[in-house]
Amino acid sequence: MNAPRVKSRSVRRDTFLLIVLGLVAAAWLLSWPVRARMRRETARIERETTQQNEALQTGTQLKAQEEEARKQLASNPQDFEAHMRLASALGRQRNYSEELPHLQAAQQIHLQSAAPHAAMGQLFDAEGMHDLAIEELRKAIELNPDDITSLTLLAYKYVAVGWNSEAESMLARALAKQPEDARLHVTLALVNFQTGQMAAAEQHLLTARRLAPKDATVIGPLIEVYRHSQRYTDALRTIAEAMPILPDKLALHLEKAQVYEEMDRPADAIAAADDALKLSAGLLRALYIRAVAYKMEGDTASAIRDFEQVRAGDSRTDQTLLLLGQLYIQQGRPEKGKPLVEEYNRNLEISQKLARLIVRVASLPKDWRSHLALGAYYCQGGSYPRAIVELKRTLELKPGQKEALSLLVKALRAVHRDTEAEAFSSSSGP
């Protein structure tokens, strides 16, 4: 007698979960421009971190380091430090194919050292093999929990794939050891932002701003948080404070234009966008904001002119196709407008499906079915590096899962990693 009641509760629970996921996915889509900006900031921070952790050397110095290390290895092939120095010199010259064997040799000489794994993590990351980068950085941290560089880079990788809970854990560990690192605070703010924790994001960004008051990578995300929270006065105040001290005026003009647009002040938005375009003619983001502002003012001709320029540069910029199509229809030219609206709706349907899958993974990080669904979607769309990450995560959570193995073999072969593909194919059995 209790079975129908239990089933009913289960259905209600699943329905509620789907509703919640749907709402989160909608919010995820609406905040896409903000998220894109935050991701760009994080990628920039990651590059700067890697560069900062490398000594600034000329090509001549690197060649000298390489030659000296080769001489040492010629006399002693088991010299761990020589392998590491040679690998470092080769990596800084972007000679990754030759760097890797020396890192692997160093790892075999000193099995308990985290350094070769950390270096391989950075090498694989540079080559776009995100799954191998994650694996090596994890090994480095297992061997040396105090390796701040690996903790930070692994957190960046987790942010990039949307594994927010894992990223937050990594960043918390890194910040506990290095609380004065502004980049760590900015990246944790990104995670807070993606999970809707705006107050926490603001606090980390304010801390980062105190630590690095002239760092533009801090100011941009702080303005984004204020704007997304509709705290427009705070956003404008931050822009005004930053304008005299930051060299990147273009980014600040863009931020101001976006804030004014969202405040329904189209004239001010147009003026700020014009300031940005004076510094960078044809900048799509400025043209898009100005087009929206013209549309708000009812200046259809100017709006169409700007939207058409954006469409020529990147038709998927925000709502370009939708808004441009609507303007053409309003002008009585449905033959031009309707195809644009239809194209936008097709793109939106694809984006919504991807958003739901990503949000599901973020909401249910230990659910292998969620990772499998996202991996399969990436695989279907040809995003094989991202597919490999999700499919390997599926197999971590559900070893031997047949569909994940099959898709993983396909994805690995698609990116010419045939040896790995064969290994996974053999493990799947007949």
Side-chain angles (χ1 to χ4, degrees), residues 206-221:
L206 290 174
T207 300
R209 190 180 181 193
R210 174 179 58 79
L211 295 169
K214 294 185 179 182
D215 188 346
T217 65
V218 176
I219 299 297

Side-chain angles (χ1 to χ4, degrees), residues 6-286:
V6 171
K7 184 176 181 181
S8 176
R9 283 200 299 270
S10 176
V11 169
R12 285 199 300 272
R13 185 188 66 243
D14 292 345
T15 302
F16 175 74
L17 177 60
L18 288 172
I19 291 171
V20 170
L21 286 173
L23 292 172
V24 175
W28 189 90
L29 284 167
L30 290 172
S31 66
W32 178 261
V34 181
R35 291 166 55 82
R37 167 60 184 275
M38 297 289 275
R39 282 198 306 276
R40 288 195 298 273
E41 294 290 354
T42 301
R44 180 174 163 184
I45 293 165
E46 181 175 354
R47 289 194 300 272
E48 290 178 356
T49 300
T50 303
Q51 291 166 1
Q52 197 172 52
N53 286 326
E54 294 180 348
L56 184 61
Q57 297 181 342
T58 65
T60 302
Q61 289 173 318
L62 287 173
K63 281 295 182 184
Q65 178 181 327
E66 177 186 341
E67 289 174 9
E68 183 181 351
R70 289 188 189 279
K71 288 178 182 177
Q72 289 176 319
L73 287 172
S75 60
N76 181 11
Q78 295 300 303
D79 188 331
F80 173 84
E81 294 296 340
H83 277 294
M84 293 299 297
R85 284 196 298 274
L86 179 53
S88 175
L90 292 168
R92 289 173 191 170
Q93 296 173 78
R94 291 182 169 80
N95 187 352
Y96 301 128
S97 61
E98 194 176 352
E99 177 190 9
L100 181 58
H102 289 287
L103 291 175
Q104 291 171 331
Q107 188 271 324
Q108 288 299 313
I109 293 167
H110 195 338
L111 295 175
Q112 297 305 309
S113 174
H117 294 290
M120 281 190 278
Q122 295 182 52
L123 182 157
F124 289 133
D125 188 39
E127 293 203 297
M129 291 188 280
H130 311 301
D131 58 308
L132 296 181
I134 289 171
E135 290 172 13
E136 293 300 331
L137 291 171
R138 283 176 175 172
K139 291 174 184 175
I141 294 167
E142 286 175 9
L143 291 167
N144 180 11
D146 294 327
D147 183 353
I148 296 296
T149 299
S150 293
L151 277 169
T152 304
L153 290 177
L154 184 57
Y156 289 148
K157 298 311 298 178
Y158 285 159
V159 169
V161 297
W163 298 356
N164 294 320
S165 58
E166 289 91 341
E168 190 168 6
S169 175
M170 289 288 114
L171 289 166
R173 287 174 59 184
L175 273 171
K177 300 176 185 300
Q178 206 161 306
E180 300 298 301
D181 190 325
R183 295 179 306 279
L184 293 177
H185 285 283
V186 174
T187 310
L188 185 51
L190 169 61
V191 176
N192 295 147
F193 180 88
Q194 291 186 156
T195 55
Q197 303 174 69
M198 294 300 167
E202 179 189 5
Q203 288 307 308
H204 281 293
L205 289 169
L206 290 174
T207 300
R209 190 180 181 193
R210 174 179 58 79
L211 295 169
K214 294 185 179 182
D215 188 346
T217 65
V218 176
I219 299 297
L222 180 60
I223 296 167
E224 297 282 7
V225 168
Y226 285 145
R227 184 162 57 78
H228 191 74
S229 304
Q230 298 184 339
R231 294 170 56 184
Y232 301 126
T233 301
D234 289 328
L236 290 173
R237 172 182 51 77
T238 304
I239 293 169
E241 292 172 356
M243 194 68 78
I245 61 174
L246 291 186
D248 188 2
K249 311 298 183 190
L250 175 60
L252 294 172
H253 287 308
L254 281 174
E255 295 290 356
K256 185 190 290 188
Q258 187 72 61
V259 170
Y260 281 137
E261 180 202 307
E262 294 186 16
M263 293 175 72
D264 293 327
R265 293 170 56 177
D268 291 324
I270 290 169
D274 284 339
D275 288 336
L277 288 165
K278 289 174 186 175
L279 297 173
S280 179
L283 185 66
L284 295 185
R285 189 72 201 149

